[in-house]
Amino acid sequence: MKRIMFVDDEVRILDGLQRMLRPQRHVWEMAFAPSGQAALQMMEAAPFDVIVSDMRMPGMDGAALLKTVREKYPNVLRIILSGYTELEAALNAVPVAHQFLVKPCDQDTLQSAIERATSLNSILNNKRLESIIGSMQQLPSLPKSCMEMREALADPDSDSHRIASLVERDPAMSAKVLQLVNSAFFGVARNISDINMAITYLGKSILENLVLSVEIFRVFRPTVSIPGFSLEELHTHAQFTAKMAGHVAGDNAIRRLGMVAGLLHDVGKLVLAEATPEHFARAIEGAKKEKRPLYEIEEELTGVSHAEVGAYLLSMWGIPYLIVEAVAHHHHLERVACEKVDLLASVYFANWLAHEHDAERRGAAGIPNAPLNMEIVAKLGVEHLLPEWRLEARNTALDLEGVPHGK
Ligand SMILES: [Fe+2]
Ligand SMILES: [Fe+2]
């Protein structure tokens, strides 16, 4: 049974939660603490899986409590349950909370948020992943793109597309902004899966606050340089994959979702580069030496690759499940029963095409691409599309390098 801790200084609210969650007592073991200090004492006495804390409390507030929990028990999933009026304070807690919920919160919402946080699908259910993510403070990102975004936001002539494209070309910023938009604060009833949609729903000024709040606490400290890993290159690869995912998906509803998933698909590499740099460096070195795809070496070393690490993080952030799934399976489409070129397939093919282009460009100096799963290609009946996809990949590469070409 999962052990869940609820913390609120208002006895009335704690009682309400206890009553509301009574039907859950066969599934969860629940504890209710009236203060941060009491919660920490109870956590010292016995381990917990999830903590759901109020934001504003006398003494130790929710942000301080979750910060301590992150330091002492990095594997515990941290959820803030807060009022609308505490938005600003709660935003300060962004680095320490995995999810946000707004009070009053009904049983279904609370239950599904906790379930989403606890019952990830079987491939994400891995202690190693939990501890990698749990020990992270924030994702690294590119300060250069932050600066450009700040300028664009300050410019009254910037239209929302320009701002969206600035946000979207940076996977870490994009993920965090979507996390925030999808957290219950903004009262958006549906899942917001891309930045343009976020601007439509929330307006530029809220987006600006989101972007800035993300920028303030995310600090990439390249204390350890990892041979063979470059943020710039990862950035380009993410954009390449996003563009190709959109192309492979075609003109349909999954196109934009595919692009977001493409942007985010390798976000796990950022996590590993920051959280376990020595280990990540060893994996890259192994891939180069053995001439095998990086994810295979990662899987051999720890049982998980950057795909699962990224998916785990995104799912903790409440990013739409479809995107999480596409990220988790971007090297292993055979894990899912794929019947058509859906979101998962678009990201799989897009990533493969991007890596193929990269492997060609680097030749013997690079890491070889994984073989394309021809069984799946045949099953989906896309063999005849491959030459056209390859051509588009070459054009995409030229686009990203800023080289004009006749499409
Ligand atoms: Fe990957
Ligand atoms: Fe990739």
Side-chain angles (χ1 to χ4, degrees):
M1 276 220 281
K2 290 279 178 195
R3 287 173 52 81
I4 326 259
M5 162 89 70
F6 294 89
V7 193
D8 203 306
D9 60 308
E10 281 181 64
V11 181
R12 193 176 49 85
I13 289 183
L14 269 192
D15 285 350
L17 279 170
Q18 203 160 357
R19 255 196 319 278
M20 181 174 87
L21 295 169
R22 241 180 106 70
Q24 283 298 107
R25 67 190 187 284
H26 306 296
V27 194
W28 300 336
E29 228 177 289
M30 292 174 276
F32 299 85
S35 70
Q37 288 86 347
L40 289 173
Q41 269 170 17
M42 287 159 89
M43 292 182 98
E44 223 161 90
F48 280 83
D49 299 295
V50 182
I51 180 165
V52 182
S53 173
D54 181 27
M55 186 62 209
R56 196 183 294 164
M57 297 187 288
M60 181 183 278
D61 71 4
L65 171 62
L66 294 196
K67 189 165 178 281
T68 310
V69 170
R70 184 186 68 194
E71 280 158 14
K72 287 190 157 178
Y73 315 101
N75 290 339
V76 175
L77 301 170
R78 306 173 293 267
I79 298 175
I80 283 273
L81 183 58
S82 178
Y84 274 108
T85 50
E86 296 151 17
L87 175 67
E88 210 181 304
L91 282 177
N92 291 332
V94 163
V96 292
H98 290 111
Q99 280 212 23
F100 299 85
L101 295 172
V102 171
K103 287 199 267 192
C105 183
D106 62 28
Q107 189 197 332
D108 284 351
T109 311
L110 190 54
Q111 203 174 318
S112 77
I114 291 177
E115 272 166 13
R116 188 163 74 191
T118 56
S119 57
L120 297 171
N121 67 34
S122 58
I123 59 156
L124 301 186
N125 188 12
N126 183 306
K127 287 285 165 207
R128 169 93 188 130
L129 286 175
E130 279 184 22
S131 70
I132 290 173
I133 303 294
S135 65
M136 283 286 292
Q137 298 214 359
Q138 64 267 318
L139 282 178
S141 194
L142 287 175
K144 193 177 78 183
S145 57
C146 296
M147 293 310 296
E148 285 172 356
M149 195 136 34
R150 193 171 262 182
E151 273 168 31
L153 288 164
D155 176 358
D157 294 334
S158 289
D159 67 6
S160 53
H161 287 285
R162 181 174 164 216
I163 290 167
S165 68
L166 281 173
V167 179
E168 281 181 348
R169 63 179 208 187
D170 178 340
M173 174 64 83
S174 199
K176 201 76 186 169
V177 167
L178 288 176
Q179 174 210 2
L180 290 166
V181 174
N182 282 304
S183 65
F185 275 118
F186 301 101
V188 178
R190 50 190 295 194
N191 261 339
I192 299 292
S193 48
D194 69 45
I195 301 295
N196 247 319
M197 197 169 158
I199 296 175
T200 308
Y201 274 82
L202 304 170
K204 274 194 278 180
S205 72
I206 289 195
L207 186 86
E208 175 174 5
N209 287 326
L210 291 182
V211 168
L212 292 181
S213 71
V214 172
E215 188 188 20
I216 286 163
F217 55 71
R218 67 178 195 164
V219 184
F220 177 58
R221 296 179 206 93
T223 44
V224 184
S225 95
I226 300 173
F229 175 74
S230 138
L231 281 175
E232 291 278 359
E233 281 174 10
L234 183 63
H235 203 192
T236 309
H237 172 68
Q239 291 177 75
F240 196 131
T241 307
K243 277 200 153 189
M244 286 310 299
H247 181 79
V248 171
D251 194 15
N252 64 39
I254 59 162
R255 184 184 161 81
R256 304 198 74 168
L257 214 52
M259 294 183 77
V260 178
L263 273 178
L264 297 173
H265 81 284
D266 271 342
V267 86
K269 288 184 184 172
L270 292 176
V271 178
L272 292 171
E274 167 124 348
T276 58
E278 296 84 6
H279 184 84
F280 191 44
R282 238 188 348 266
I284 294 175
E285 200 190 304
K288 282 192 165 168
K289 215 181 263 168
E290 295 184 33
K291 295 272 164 228
R292 288 165 59 204
L294 176 62
Y295 72 86
E296 274 187 22
I297 307 288
E298 291 176 316
E299 286 166 2
E300 266 173 29
L301 289 173
T302 56
V304 294
S305 78
H306 61 269
E308 290 82 13
V309 171
Y312 186 93
L313 177 83
L314 296 174
S315 101
M316 285 300 97
W317 281 357
I319 300 295
Y321 185 76
L322 273 173
I323 294 180
V324 172
E325 230 185 350
V327 171
H329 301 305
H330 78 260
H331 310 119
H332 289 296
L333 197 56
E334 77 282 358
R335 284 177 185 163
V336 280
C338 204
E339 299 295 336
K340 57 182 189 321
V341 181
D342 58 6
L343 180 69
L344 270 65
S346 311
V347 176
Y348 168 79
F349 288 124
N351 177 58
W352 184 85
L353 288 158
H355 280 292
E356 190 189 50
H357 178 82
D358 198 53
E360 268 171 22
R361 189 170 64 86
R362 287 169 201 266
I367 297 176
N369 195 11
L372 187 61
N373 188 327
M374 293 312 288
E375 238 172 79
I376 289 177
V377 168
K379 186 179 165 199
L380 301 182
V382 293
E383 200 158 4
H384 67 289
L385 295 174
L386 287 175
E388 192 270 320
W389 287 352
R390 285 195 169 106
L391 182 67
E392 185 61 22
R394 270 195 290 277
N395 288 339
T396 299
L398 294 174
D399 277 343
L400 288 170
E401 286 157 18
V403 180
H405 59 93
K407 267 199 209 181

